[in-house]
Amino acid sequence: MAETQAARTVREYRTAELAEAAGIPVRTLRFYRERKLLPPPRREGRIAWYDDHHLARLRTIAALLERGHTLGGIAELTAAFENGRDVSQLGELLGMGWSEETPVRLTPEALADYFEGEVTPENLAASLDLGYLATDGDEIVHVSRRLLDVSSALVREGVPLAAVLETGRRVRAHADALAALFTELIEEHLSPEAVPRLRPLAKSVVEAELAMAMDRLQASRSRPAESQTPSS
């Protein structure tokens, strides 16, 4: 069994074998290589050897094409993924040492399904820059299940993903300021060691104040209309 698993891990394909496994003609495979949609194969003399990562990439390309992406768009997405943050940096993203967030692993086609029609190179680059996404081989890692679900819900409601990401960037600045405020408060009156233990209290204050602030804003916006009286 161990030998079978090891053989499967290092399985390699010649050009024709890879094309057959992916269900595409050899000329299509070569075209994808010319367009740099595939990473270079390992070479032994004149023989090109591909592996399961190349096969996974071909299946991803096929899935994205089925979802309406163009080859040019896929090439840009591929370049953005390959230039993205590596998953080994996830612990550093957003200073996540004590984070309650759960990372989510996604294939590129699964990410496209979450944000149908909105996974553009620009939005992907913004997500990488914010630290929402990292890359791990052929997979993508979203830093937070909650942020992923909220973002996709807003997009389904009709909010453009670019606007969601820009709002996230602005929220980040306010969140950093709030984190500094509460950390300074606890460290000044207690100790730095008390910060992790009292984080839930800070979280409760922020959630309550945000809810009340939205109530006040909604009330202030509806008050002028309610105060109007019919003209005689």
Side-chain angles (χ1 to χ4, degrees):
M1 176 67 72
E3 291 180 359
T4 302
Q5 290 177 341
R8 183 163 44 251
T9 300
V10 298
R11 182 175 181 183
E12 292 186 311
Y13 309 81
R14 291 172 181 259
T15 301
E17 293 171 338
L18 180 66
E20 181 179 2
I24 60 174
V26 170
R27 64 179 180 275
T28 300
L29 171 58
R30 287 173 176 157
F31 176 71
Y32 289 166
R33 278 283 297 114
E34 292 170 359
R35 293 290 299 270
K36 301 188 184 303
L37 293 172
L38 288 175
R42 182 179 70 83
R43 291 195 172 273
E44 284 185 357
R46 300 181 63 182
I47 301 176
W49 289 101
Y50 299 87
D51 57 27
D52 285 330
H53 287 290
H54 294 94
L55 181 57
R57 177 67 62 82
L58 289 172
R59 288 172 175 166
T60 294
I61 292 170
L64 293 174
L65 287 172
E66 288 178 2
R67 287 161 172 78
H69 290 262
T70 65
L71 285 177
I74 293 172
E76 291 179 342
L77 290 172
T78 299
F81 284 133
E82 291 176 347
N83 293 328
R85 299 172 187 265
D86 187 84
V87 72
S88 63
Q89 297 173 296
L90 269 179
E92 301 172 6
L93 296 177
L94 311 181
M96 291 180 62
W98 303 323
S99 179
E100 302 168 7
E101 300 308 309
T102 303
V104 184
R105 288 181 174 273
L106 300 162
T107 61
E109 55 266 32
L111 183 66
D113 286 341
Y114 263 96
F115 303 100
E116 187 172 355
E118 294 278 342
V119 182
T120 64
E122 293 79 12
N123 286 338
L124 181 60
S127 298
L128 290 166
D129 184 55
L130 276 167
Y132 287 170
L133 295 182
T135 56
D136 187 14
D138 293 316
E139 286 187 312
I140 306 161
V141 180
H142 195 290
V143 75
S144 166
R145 163 65 71 182
R146 288 195 293 182
L147 287 176
L148 175 64
D149 290 344
V150 169
S151 299
S152 61
L154 288 170
V155 171
R156 287 196 301 272
E157 290 289 335
V159 181
L161 181 55
V164 173
L165 293 172
E166 176 55 30
T167 299
R169 188 182 300 277
R170 296 168 65 184
V171 168
R172 172 77 57 78
H174 292 291
D176 287 345
L178 287 168
L181 179 66
F182 280 104
T183 298
E184 290 168 5
L185 173 70
I186 295 169
E187 290 181 346
E188 178 181 354
H189 296 280
L190 299 172
S191 68
E193 291 73 21
V195 175
R197 178 171 57 85
L198 298 182
R199 278 187 63 191
L201 300 181
K203 177 181 174 182
S204 295
V205 171
V206 172
E207 289 179 347
E209 285 290 356
L210 177 61
M212 290 189 293
M214 295 190 76
D215 287 343
R216 291 194 298 271
L217 180 61
Q218 189 63 33
S220 67
R221 290 183 172 181
S222 61
R223 192 174 301 120
E226 294 173 355
S227 64
Q228 288 179 357
T229 57
S231 57
S232 55

